[in-house]
């Protein structure tokens, strides 16, 4: 089961947004009110972890404050946190190296 989920994760991570969205088109906007607001003080609130799950496994996530990532240890995928917002989409995740995991 774990190998099947990991294979799905690898396939999802290798696809671009247009392949995942199917025929949907991403349309750029010039409306500045919709543009992301960047403030240096935006930090991820670890209290929301109880509501978040990995989008691929639906399992728990671990917060790495140093790297600003949410980690699915089950499939070894790390999702970035940018400006305090977790990017929990398969294409945003990265496959982690074995050296990034503590020895069991």
């Amino acid at each position: 089961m774990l190998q099947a989920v990991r294979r799905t994760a690898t396939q999802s991570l290798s696809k671009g947004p247009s392949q995942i969205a199917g025929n949907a088109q991403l349309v750029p906007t010039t409306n500045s009110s919709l543009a992301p607001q960047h403030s240096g003080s935006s930090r991820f609130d670890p209290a929301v972890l109880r509501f978040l799950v990995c989008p691929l496994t639906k399992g728990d996530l671990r917060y790495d404050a140093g790297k600003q990532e949410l980690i699915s240890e089950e499939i070894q995928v790390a999702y970035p946190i940018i400006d305090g917002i977790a990017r929990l989409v398969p294409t945003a995740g990265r496959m982690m190296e074995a050296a990034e995991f503590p020895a069991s």
Side-chain angles (χ1 to χ4, degrees), residues 25-49:
Q25 297 294 318
L26 300 177
V27 180
T29 180
T30 56
N31 184 346
S32 62
S33 66
L34 298 177
Q37 302 297 313
H38 299 283
S39 67
S41 64
S42 294
R43 298 295 292 173
F44 179 75
D45 181 2
V48 301
L49 274 175

